[in-house]
Amino acid sequence: MRRKIVAGNWKMNKDFDEAETLIDDVVKGLEEEEVDCDVVICPPFPYLELATDGAADSELFEVGAQNVSSFDSGAYTGEVSAAMLASLDVNFCIIGHSERRKYFNEDNATLAVKVEKVLANEIVPIYCVGETLEEREANRHFDVIRRQVEEGLFGLDAADFENVVIAYEPVWAIGTGKTATPEQAEEIHAFIRSLVKEKYGDDIANEIHILYGGSCNAKNASALFAQPDIDGGLIGGASLKAEDFVSICRQAK
Ligand code: PGA
């Protein structure tokens, strides 16, 4: 049985004081509620140490970054390496979020390098895939997702691949309030798991975590998490309110 993962993607939100308050409130909430999933908080880079300190004190959550450099070190102004993240005790890293694909032109080949860099530093990549509305309406969603999965991840050997988390985030559902129905999400999750099975076999396909993201909130989380191939969520907007985020965590069983 796969233990569910709920990861909060704060994106580019909150100042330092607000970040501190949000972490404190999430910790308080997690202490009060019965939570039976792995919780990950992914704040902006400047607050990572604040978060890893909070994680070490409370032992109630782990910390993820939202991006990483595809380079190791050196003259790459503005970049943050996987080794730097590891040195802060960051355990997860979101890679290939659709906002990075769209606004920063990140393609599958670059993302494959980023995945390798974090794995080499014992950080779990949360590799995001998902189709646009246009692609879904043209009935190209399966092809798009297959390519994203194959080109971003299938260069890995099995020993590395088994440490990967995949997040299915339909672009049309992100920040729009339009959630995929549990059935729509399950269809794609099952498809992704079938791709993994074909490539890496039954055992790895059964172990791999596939999270859903895209307007997942305290009201719809239970129904999504009840689907057999949905192993938790990558939560954007609802992770910015401690009460909502903790409620989603409680629903992940
Ligand atoms: P959302 O974002 O929950 O605000 O739709 C999810 C994400 O982009 O990770």
Side-chain angles (χ1 to χ4, degrees):
M1 191 57 196
R2 297 178 293 270
R3 184 176 158 87
K4 288 195 170 45
I5 300 172
V6 175
N9 174 13
W10 290 8
K11 308 193 181 183
M12 197 171 71
N13 291 294
K14 305 288 178 188
D15 67 19
F16 188 85
D17 289 344
E18 291 166 346
E20 200 165 25
T21 304
L22 181 52
I23 290 171
D24 284 351
D25 290 348
V26 169
V27 168
K28 274 183 219 141
L30 293 173
E31 278 166 348
E32 281 163 18
E33 299 281 350
E34 253 185 47
V35 170
D36 189 19
C37 69
D38 290 333
V39 178
V40 183
I41 293 179
C42 306
F45 285 132
Y47 316 143
L48 281 174
E49 197 180 358
L50 182 73
T52 53
D53 284 349
D57 286 346
S58 70
E59 297 185 352
L60 290 170
F61 67 95
E62 293 181 88
V63 178
Q66 297 174 17
N67 183 30
V68 66
S69 178
S70 54
F71 297 102
D72 284 329
S73 70
Y76 300 102
T77 302
E79 289 289 271
V80 174
S81 72
M84 291 175 186
L85 298 178
S87 73
L88 286 173
D89 294 329
V90 167
N91 307 114
F92 290 82
C93 184
I94 299 170
I95 292 182
H97 190 282
S98 61
E99 287 148 16
R100 299 228 43 102
R101 292 175 186 265
K102 179 174 173 195
Y103 301 124
F104 303 95
N105 300 319
E106 295 191 357
D107 58 16
N108 293 332
T110 309
L111 298 172
V113 176
K114 293 188 177 203
V115 167
E116 276 174 35
K117 297 293 175 199
V118 299
L119 285 168
N121 284 278
E122 293 179 14
I123 292 170
V124 173
I126 302 177
Y127 178 75
C128 303
V129 300
E131 79 286 359
T132 62
L133 186 58
E134 212 184 2
E135 287 162 344
R136 179 166 276 262
E137 284 175 347
N139 208 23
R140 288 179 44 223
H141 42 306
F142 289 104
D143 284 346
V144 168
I145 285 155
R146 178 195 291 274
R147 276 191 70 159
Q148 290 171 335
V149 170
E150 285 180 353
E151 294 179 12
L153 298 177
F154 281 5
L156 297 171
D157 60 26
D160 273 335
F161 184 83
E162 65 186 2
N163 296 312
V164 168
V165 170
I166 298 173
Y168 168 57
E169 299 205 308
V171 178
W172 48 271
I174 296 177
T176 58
K178 244 198 227 171
T179 325
T181 64
E183 295 72 25
Q184 275 174 324
E186 171 59 22
E187 184 183 32
I188 301 291
H189 283 237
F191 172 66
I192 294 171
R193 204 177 298 285
S194 75
L195 296 175
V196 173
K197 187 172 163 179
E198 247 170 63
K199 169 81 182 168
Y200 294 101
D202 275 347
D203 288 354
I204 291 185
N206 287 334
E207 274 167 31
I208 205 90
H209 284 79
I210 308 174
L211 312 184
Y212 170 78
S215 299
C216 181
N217 58 39
K219 293 206 173 81
N220 59 30
S222 280
L224 287 159
F225 296 166
Q227 297 297 316
D229 289 294
I230 299 185
D231 305 316
L234 182 55
I235 318 299
S239 73
L240 298 172
K241 284 193 211 117
E243 203 184 327
D244 289 357
F245 184 62
V246 171
S247 163
I248 294 168
C249 295
R250 190 167 32 81
Q251 294 173 48
K253 305 183 183 120

